[in-house]
Amino acid sequence: MVSNKAFGEFFKKKRLELRLTLREFCKRNNFDPGNISKIERGLLPPPHSDEKRRQYAKALKIKEGTDDWLTFFDLAAVCSGSLPSDIAEDEEVIKALPLLFRSIRKKNDMEEDDDLRNFIQSVRKELR
Amino acid sequence: MNLDVPRLTYQQIKQKAQNFLNTYHPSLELPVPIEEIIEFEIGLNIYPFPNLYRTHRQNGFLSSDLTTIMVDEDQYKYYIPKYRFTLAHELGHLVLHRKIYQRYTFSKIHEYIEWYKSISNWDVDMLEWQCDTFAGLILVPEETLISECKKTIGKYKKEIKKLISSNIEVWEIWSYLPNKIASVYDVNPPVVEIRIRNSRIDSKVDLIKLLEGCP
């Protein structure tokens, strides 16, 4: 099965071809940057509605009837069937976690442990 | 645990920042388009992370697989100068600390937690300082700083002269000027103040001489 990644990667490739940052692309089209970033990283499946898919294709300046149009809709159809599990696997979470950061540092060991676990939980949540 | 931190001097970081700018933004047009460089040239993803600062006191972070910069969503939306610094800081980890990221990989969360708790604050702070320094050098390029300072002094000659005649010292003027320069770089004033200090601009630009001829 093709993962959401294939659609997301194609989406991102087309956006970068337009030389639009995530911010500018979302601003021009009134999209939520968090959602678009998640779609591009394969964390959200392509939208189910044809209307929304067409809206994205239009925003990406993909012309109807072109090879890119077919690829976009083929990938959207295939990838929308691959729903990620509700909870991100540990390996996936670890890849998203920072290696170097300084804020979660407490004098108290237990407090530090709790804060770190809460932080990991927040990161896990953002992967879905 | 010993992180084997690279002991980079200011001069070494400066060299790396200059190499970076030569490669990705040789025109030095201001403000440095850090978001574009990160997305178009380096190919990293950016993700506005809801409540990252409010809940965890984190401005942003580079994911350990080196693919994504997560940044506090409020900062992404509303505090652009701060956001730009966060991006440049995290980019610093990629440029300066790639080997550390490649050296430590984990398969279980508890391994990650144990590792994180075993590294010293001193080492982490040293790495963070390196990235802050790198970020300042990228966003406020050395080659542009002298001319921007001269331009600003020229623009505010009268005001500066008044300050000096009211016993404000020259170093205080240098501390105040960043408020008038920061917008050119789209950063917060303290970033420019630190850059002026670290590059010793006050010894390269004769402020008093530039005020000559001003009534």
Side-chain angles (χ1 to χ4, degrees):
Chain A
M1 182 185 280
V2 182
S3 73
N4 295 331
K5 280 208 160 150
F7 178 77
E9 281 167 5
F10 187 71
F11 194 113
K12 186 177 174 187
K13 178 175 162 270
K14 296 307 295 177
R15 175 176 66 80
L16 293 182
E17 278 175 16
L18 298 173
R19 298 291 287 180
L20 291 176
T21 60
L22 177 71
R23 173 189 304 280
E24 192 56 32
F25 177 72
C26 292
K27 191 175 154 193
R28 286 187 189 188
N29 297 290
N30 204 22
F31 296 148
D32 175 66
N35 279 342
I36 298 297
S37 178
K38 280 184 173 180
I39 287 174
E40 290 186 346
R41 288 179 293 136
L43 299 174
L44 276 182
H48 284 286
S49 83
D50 190 56
E51 191 192 341
K52 193 73 187 173
R53 287 179 187 177
R54 281 176 176 271
Q55 197 186 348
Y56 283 160
K58 194 179 162 196
L60 292 166
K61 309 267 186 254
I62 300 173
K63 286 192 180 131
E64 196 162 353
T66 60
D67 286 350
D68 278 351
W69 178 272
L70 293 174
T71 304
F72 183 85
F73 281 87
D74 282 352
L75 286 173
V78 174
C79 294
S80 64
S82 69
L83 291 173
S85 63
D86 286 345
I87 300 170
E89 299 291 335
D90 278 7
E91 211 171 312
E92 196 186 343
V93 177
I94 288 167
K95 280 183 186 172
L97 285 168
L99 205 62
L100 303 170
F101 61 115
R102 69 177 145 203
S103 299
I104 302 175
R105 287 281 162 174
K106 297 278 159 66
K107 283 175 188 167
N108 177 327
D109 247 15
M110 197 179 287
E111 211 176 289
E112 181 177 315
D113 216 54
D114 285 349
D115 279 2
L116 193 52
R117 284 179 193 281
N118 288 338
F119 174 60
I120 292 168
Q121 199 50 38
S122 293
V123 172
R124 189 187 293 277
K125 202 177 127 205
E126 288 311 313
L127 295 178
R128 288 294 179 267
Chain B
M1 178 180 285
N2 183 1
L3 253 187
D4 200 12
V5 172
R7 306 291 169 190
L8 297 170
T9 63
Y10 179 78
Q11 286 305 323
Q12 287 169 322
I13 298 170
K14 185 173 154 184
Q15 190 57 56
K16 284 178 189 284
Q18 276 177 343
N19 292 345
F20 183 89
L21 286 172
N22 287 342
T23 305
Y24 296 111
H25 191 53
S27 74
L28 295 182
E29 197 180 315
L30 301 175
V32 172
I34 192 70
E35 201 174 45
E36 284 83 350
I37 292 172
I38 282 173
E39 287 204 59
F40 302 151
E41 309 298 330
I42 312 293
L44 291 176
N45 301 302
I46 293 173
Y47 175 60
F49 194 121
N51 300 318
L52 182 61
Y53 189 79
R54 202 178 305 163
T55 311
H56 302 292
R57 294 288 177 264
Q58 296 284 323
N59 291 308
F61 61 88
L62 174 66
S63 63
S64 64
D65 66 358
L66 302 176
T67 63
T68 306
I69 293 177
M70 318 269 185
V71 63
D72 175 64
E73 190 180 40
D74 287 341
Q75 212 177 89
Y76 180 89
K77 283 182 178 169
Y78 310 116
Y79 307 107
I80 302 300
K82 176 68 187 152
Y83 162 70
R84 285 167 48 76
F85 190 83
T86 300
L87 286 184
H89 173 102
E90 299 307 328
L91 179 65
H93 282 306
L94 185 74
V95 174
L96 307 175
H97 307 138
R98 186 187 283 272
K99 282 184 183 166
I100 297 179
Y101 279 77
Q102 288 167 340
R103 196 179 307 138
Y104 299 101
T105 52
F106 312 95
S107 55
K108 300 282 177 209
I109 295 286
H110 73 86
E111 291 172 5
Y112 171 85
I113 293 175
E114 279 163 27
W115 174 81
Y116 182 74
K117 289 175 75 178
S118 73
I119 58 180
S120 79
N121 272 348
W122 179 271
D123 283 348
V124 173
D125 286 347
M126 171 61 73
L127 295 168
E128 295 296 308
W129 170 80
Q130 290 175 359
C131 289
D132 284 346
T133 303
F134 180 85
L137 286 159
I138 291 288
L139 295 173
V140 185
E142 185 85 1
E143 291 88 337
T144 65
L145 192 51
I146 290 180
S147 63
E148 287 303 325
C149 285
K150 282 182 177 171
K151 257 193 247 173
T152 306
I153 293 165
K155 192 174 169 187
Y156 293 100
K157 265 185 181 180
K158 274 186 191 168
E159 290 85 347
I160 294 171
K161 201 130 193 192
K162 256 189 201 169
L163 288 175
I164 289 178
S165 63
S166 62
N167 290 333
I168 298 281
E169 292 189 40
V170 171
W171 72 265
E172 292 175 86
I173 309 277
W174 279 111
S175 184
Y176 175 71
L177 279 179
N179 291 289
K180 297 292 170 201
I181 300 174
S183 63
V184 176
Y185 294 98
D186 204 1
V187 296
N188 284 325
V191 176
V192 176
E193 188 175 357
I194 292 169
R195 287 290 295 109
I196 285 176
R197 194 183 62 219
N198 287 353
S199 288
R200 298 179 183 156
I201 300 294
D202 59 340
S203 68
K204 295 171 187 167
V205 175
D206 190 341
L207 192 141
I208 300 297
K209 197 171 177 188
L210 285 174
L211 297 178
E212 276 173 9
C214 177

